[in-house]
């Protein structure tokens, strides 16, 4: 009820605004995607890099998450932090399908989100608030992560 949401609200921080180029097989596209465009839907924002070992496991999991929750208005966005395009492209080519990727070579967005570990993910509600965050990725944690994401999305 109302009292419950009041109690929870103070821990929800507005997510920093961002605008980054969408990644394509040809490299960074001219098209920018911004956090403003994603207001009104849930966003799973994941910061990754090609040199991050656990990211190889998180990518197939994120593709699964996107497929399962698309109709619940969830958009997975993976923010690549590589400075060079080639290693990023090599990394993404390993996967038959991958989620929407944007590129942050200067790591400005990562700094705004105070990312300290790779991968780091943030669940952002339709109002643009961070409701959950997770550092690192292990296959063993993926069920618990899914449960946490689900409980936030279904509670709203």
């Amino acid at each position: 009820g109302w009292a419950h949401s009041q109690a929870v609200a103070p821990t929800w921080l507005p997510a920093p605004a961002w605008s980054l180029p969408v990644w394509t097989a040809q490299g960074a596209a001219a098209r920018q995607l911004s956090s403003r465009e994603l207001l009104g839907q849930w966003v799973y924002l994941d910061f990754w890099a090609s040199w991050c070992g656990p990211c190889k496991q998180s990518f197939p999991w994120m593709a699964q998450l996107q497929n399962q929750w698309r109709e619940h208005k969830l958009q997975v966005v993976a923010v690549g932090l590589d400075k060079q395009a080639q290693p990023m492209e090599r990394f993404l080519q390993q996967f038959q399908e991958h989620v929407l990727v944007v590129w942050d070579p200067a790591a400005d967005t990562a700094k705004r989100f105070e990312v300290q570990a790779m991968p780091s993910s943030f669940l952002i509600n339709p109002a643009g608030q961070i409701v959950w965050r997770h550092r690192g990725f292990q296959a063993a944690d993926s069920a618990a992560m899914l449960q946490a994401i689900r409980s936030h999305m279904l509670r709203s």
Side-chain angles (χ1 to χ4, degrees):
W2 197 79
H4 174 72
S5 57
Q6 195 183 23
V8 172
T11 62
W12 291 3
L13 301 168
W18 53 268
S19 180
L20 292 166
V22 174
W23 183 264
T24 69
Q26 287 75 47
R31 185 169 113 68
Q32 296 264 331
L33 177 68
S34 75
S35 50
R36 201 179 308 116
E37 284 172 66
L38 297 171
L39 283 171
Q41 53 188 313
W42 287 89
V43 178
Y44 183 88
L45 193 67
D46 178 84
F47 291 87
W48 67 280
S50 66
W51 41 260
C52 153
C55 295
K56 285 189 180 65
Q57 289 187 299
S58 65
F59 256 75
W61 180 81
M62 287 194 295
Q64 217 179 329
L65 179 70
Q66 179 68 88
N67 291 336
Q68 281 174 351
W69 289 89
R70 188 174 271 118
E71 63 273 22
H72 294 273
K73 284 249 170 63
L74 171 71
Q75 178 63 59
V76 178
V77 180
V79 183
L81 299 178
D82 280 72
K83 289 185 175 33
Q84 305 295 321
Q86 291 88 341
M88 205 160 138
E89 189 49 40
R90 270 200 304 277
F91 177 91
L92 293 171
Q93 276 167 353
Q94 306 173 79
F95 308 108
Q96 247 135 12
E97 58 167 346
H98 62 74
V99 294
L100 179 64
V101 172
V102 293
W103 195 18
D104 183 21
D108 289 335
T109 302
K111 285 186 194 94
R112 264 183 256 143
F113 276 84
E114 295 172 24
V115 170
Q116 279 143 9
M118 291 280 173
S120 277
S121 13
F122 298 82
L123 184 66
I124 299 165
N125 71 13
Q129 298 162 318
I130 297 168
V131 298
W132 180 80
R133 62 178 65 203
H134 192 269
R135 277 192 192 152
F137 184 87
Q138 286 179 303
D141 297 341
S142 61
M145 288 173 70
L146 193 58
Q147 191 51 51
I149 292 165
R150 257 185 77 162
S151 68
H152 281 291
M153 288 179 66
L154 298 177
R155 189 189 303 153
S156 67

